[in-house]
């Protein structure tokens, strides 16, 4: 690809029209979280374990028309943080490390299941695993791991 | 934290008002990319290397009022994909693995620099590194790595 085309791709925000710019500039403070999570439903919640349902929305698609890898990583962050909440700490702290393996695509309106489990929530460090599956077949879409530093528990 | 509070946090999309829901439902198809990238500027572009500037916008903040970890991961995906474009393949393929280490916070209106480098772009696999730094001090905010499968080059 030509360098100028790459520059245009990045500076135009994914090659969309400028009309998006005016929408974006009018959006509320900290919109990113609610923008990504909107539509998430909690099916099971217990200490250390969380199962959510999510119907892949149009707004979170990538250019290939399946769930954007960045949105998946954001859900690892958000649902992974929430499962740490279920075992106690009032503040989940700050992310240290997130990784995601992408195994399959999730298309628009597809029902997916997101399961988060705490692997360890100690005094200073919380580690969780987050798995994305197709609801119909159980096939794994992505698997992530999220490590957080927990400043409250460590009396910082 | 009580389980009901965690459920409410997840289902309310980060605890924001329902007013966000009506905004979100009206957003265009594939809004996620332009929403995240809007405002990115390319300072240097050459084959295999890309340096961008980005002023942390209000919309991408987390509850702690610094750049959301999910937004950082999304930028690893997007800028990391773009740097693969600079060395040839017309399609960047699909993400296989993304990881991010979070090292420092970037606050609203802070100028950050995002540098992406290709580590390898072979026939089938592309691997890139993406580093986020404070523009003023050069201090590293985050470092990510992104692995992509390149179906076009592999004649799939």
């Amino acid at each position: 690809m030509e360098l100028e085309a790459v520059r245009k791709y990045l500076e135009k925000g994914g090659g969309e029209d400028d009309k998006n710019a005016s929408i974006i500039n009018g959006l509320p403070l900290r919109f990113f979280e609610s923008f990504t999570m909107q539509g998430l439903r909690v099916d099971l919640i217990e200490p250390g374990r969380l199962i959510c349902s999510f119907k892949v929305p149009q707004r979170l698609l990538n250019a290939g028309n399946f769930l954007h890898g960045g949105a998946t990583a954001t859900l690892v962050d958000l649902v992974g943080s929430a499962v740490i909440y279920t075992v106690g700490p009032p503040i989940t702290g700050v992310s240290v490390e997130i990784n995601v393996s992408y195994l399959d695509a999730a298309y628009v309106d597809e029902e997916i299941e997101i399961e988060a489990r705490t692997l360890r929530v100690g005094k200073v460090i919380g580690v969780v695993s987050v798995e994305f599956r197709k609801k119909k077949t159980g096939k794994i879409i992505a698997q992530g791991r999220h490590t957080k530093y927990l400043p409250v528990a460590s009396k910082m």
Side-chain angles (χ1 to χ4, degrees), chain A residues 23-85:
Chain A
I23 301 175
I24 290 167
N25 293 329
L27 292 174
L29 183 71
R30 292 190 299 268
F31 189 66
F32 187 73
E33 278 199 11
S34 46
F35 171 70
T36 309
M37 285 158 86
Q38 166 76 25
L40 200 73
R41 296 182 311 280
V42 176
D43 294 332
L44 180 149
I45 183 164
E46 57 187 38
R49 187 157 172 254
L50 198 49
I51 298 181
C52 300
S53 290
F54 194 57
K55 193 171 155 187
V56 177
Q58 290 201 346
R59 68 182 189 275
L60 298 185
L61 299 181
N62 60 17
N65 280 324
F66 53 91
L67 182 63
H68 201 291
T72 306
T74 301
L75 289 165
V76 170
D77 183 349
L78 296 171
V79 181
S81 295
V83 79
I84 295 181
Y85 283 130

Side-chain angles (χ1 to χ4, degrees), chain A residues 55-117:
Chain A
K55 193 171 155 187
V56 177
Q58 290 201 346
R59 68 182 189 275
L60 298 185
L61 299 181
N62 60 17
N65 280 324
F66 53 91
L67 182 63
H68 201 291
T72 306
T74 301
L75 289 165
V76 170
D77 183 349
L78 296 171
V79 181
S81 295
V83 79
I84 295 181
Y85 283 130
T86 66
V87 290
I91 296 176
T92 60
V94 292
S95 294
V96 172
E97 185 89 27
I98 287 179
N99 69 56
V100 190
S101 294
Y102 299 92
L103 308 162
D104 207 344
Y107 295 95
V108 68
D109 290 340
E110 193 169 342
E111 286 281 355
I112 66 173
E113 189 167 76
I114 306 172
E115 178 168 6
R117 283 180 306 124

